[in-house]
Amino acid sequence: MSPMQQPTEIFSDRTLGFTIPSRDVRGRVVRLDDVLETVLSAHDYPPAITHLLAEALVLATLIGSLVKQDQGQMTMQAQTKGGVVNLLVCDFRNGEVRGYVDFDEGRFGALGANPSLSALFGEGYLAITFDMADERGRYQGIVPLEGESLSQACESYFVQSEQVPTLIRVAIKSGDSGCVGAGMLVQHLADGEEGRERLHVRLDHPEWEYVSVMAGSIRHDELLDPALSMEALVWRLFHEEDEIRTQHGAALSRGCRCSAEHYEQVLGRFPPAERDAMRNDEGVIVVDCAFCSKLFSVAV
């Protein structure tokens, strides 16, 4: 038996990758603490929108961390058709995560304290895009925003767009002391190793049936328990397996990449007349970064 391979344990703001070779399973676990607070502090969102973005940031970290370091970026966008939320965007690159929500404040106030996903998005859809640094380039999958949560929509993405049976569990806790988010993603990769053509998704594969039942038994309080390391979470679920291999991911941080130079380059592509229309009385264009809420004065 080969249990946890790492000499130290991790509790938050870093991903833990794991594989169970005998079951053809890979997974990710994450708990966002200070990083989540940093991202959320840039906006004064109402509780329901804070919860929505917190879930999205956990999902973006779980999915984005499937991309090998320095090989690309994952962007997750949820858009609406007739809903209150106009756009939700999160992305993940090399351990850096960021996100924001654009919503109609007037209409949101009429929804009550705990609006459903359908109330927030209407007939929305979820797009997950991978911009890879290798020959794979850019590819995207789009699925309807159906079900009770963003997590369920992400599970549908993997089944429909990548033909990979996937189970995702996310837990969010908000209070006077701040917001903490945690999650687990588990996938079955039998007949779908890199370099081989994927077979049709087999959600009834006996190995996957067993793993999905075990992983699905994880409780929200376990995911969020600050005294329980991520290695301990995996061990609780799969301690009867012959071998569990783990690997620490990069330390996580807020990854807003805004700068005055960046906006100068972007605005420089606009015709002079359009740039003039954007200027204030001092002749400066003020740009508000949607991700971190910083204001940049750009003179172009």
Side-chain angles (χ1 to χ4, degrees):
M1 177 176 292
S2 176
M4 300 300 147
Q5 302 286 314
Q6 298 289 344
T8 59
E9 294 182 307
I10 53 176
F11 293 84
S12 65
D13 294 335
R14 186 183 291 268
T15 57
L16 177 74
F18 66 92
T19 59
I20 305 175
S22 63
R23 302 283 186 181
D24 296 313
V25 161
R26 74 170 176 181
R28 295 290 186 276
V29 184
V30 70
R31 187 180 292 126
L32 296 180
D33 193 347
D34 292 341
V35 172
L36 186 58
E37 274 294 290
T38 302
V39 176
L40 295 175
S41 66
H43 300 275
D44 186 19
Y45 291 130
I49 298 297
T50 295
H51 188 282
L52 177 70
L53 181 56
E55 180 184 8
L57 290 166
V58 171
L59 290 166
T61 303
L62 289 170
I63 298 171
S65 65
L66 297 174
V67 179
K68 293 180 180 179
Q69 191 81 352
D70 299 324
Q71 287 197 358
Q73 173 176 304
M74 189 286 306
T75 303
M76 183 170 68
Q77 297 184 57
Q79 291 189 260
T80 185
K81 183 178 179 181
V84 170
V85 175
N86 301 313
L87 177 66
L88 180 152
V89 179
C90 294
D91 65 38
F92 182 95
R93 185 178 71 177
N94 294 339
E96 296 181 342
V97 61
R98 62 179 182 171
Y100 76 93
V101 183
D102 176 44
F103 65 102
D104 187 324
E105 294 188 35
R107 294 176 60 201
F108 174 80
L111 294 181
N114 297 299
S116 65
L117 192 70
S118 60
L120 289 171
F121 286 97
E123 296 180 12
Y125 67 87
L126 177 72
I128 295 180
T129 306
F130 290 91
D131 289 290
M132 308 302 292
D134 55 23
E135 67 279 357
R136 288 174 290 178
R138 186 176 189 269
Y139 62 96
Q140 182 183 75
I142 299 175
V143 294
L145 265 176
E146 298 175 341
E148 298 181 357
S149 66
L150 287 175
S151 301
Q152 290 185 7
C154 289
E155 288 179 341
S156 297
Y157 160 79
F158 280 107
V159 171
Q160 297 178 28
S161 297
E162 297 204 8
Q163 291 77 55
V164 179
T166 301
L167 180 140
I168 300 174
R169 293 291 182 267
V170 172
I172 306 297
K173 181 180 180 181
S174 299
D176 295 337
S177 58
C179 185
V180 179
M184 172 179 285
L185 177 150
V186 181
Q187 296 184 316
H188 190 234
L189 297 180
D191 302 317
E193 296 89 345
E194 192 169 336
R196 293 180 57 182
E197 181 180 356
R198 289 202 193 283
L199 302 182
H200 182 69
V201 174
R202 287 195 57 192
L203 297 177
D204 62 345
H205 191 290
E207 299 288 4
W208 174 242
E209 285 186 332
Y210 172 81
V211 170
S212 62
V213 168
M214 299 304 294
S217 69
I218 191 75
R219 303 192 310 273
H220 281 197
D221 62 307
E222 291 178 299
L223 281 169
L224 294 167
D225 188 348
L228 193 62
S229 72
M230 286 183 258
E231 288 88 349
L233 282 173
V234 176
W235 182 248
R236 279 190 178 187
L237 294 173
F238 303 113
H239 63 274
E240 295 184 356
E241 300 302 318
D242 292 336
E243 182 180 23
I244 305 171
R245 300 175 184 171
T246 64
Q247 182 178 14
H248 288 185
L252 302 173
S253 64
R254 184 181 72 176
C256 195
R257 298 179 286 277
C258 60
S259 67
E261 293 76 13
H262 169 72
Y263 290 122
E264 285 176 2
Q265 292 176 1
V266 173
L267 291 170
R269 301 169 192 157
F270 285 79
E274 292 188 24
R275 294 202 301 269
D276 288 341
M278 302 176 192
R279 301 183 193 280
N280 60 18
D281 294 339
E282 286 74 38
V284 174
I285 301 174
V286 179
V287 181
D288 181 359
C289 176
F291 288 101
C292 68
S293 294
K294 290 181 182 178
L295 297 177
F296 293 87
S297 296
V298 183
V300 290

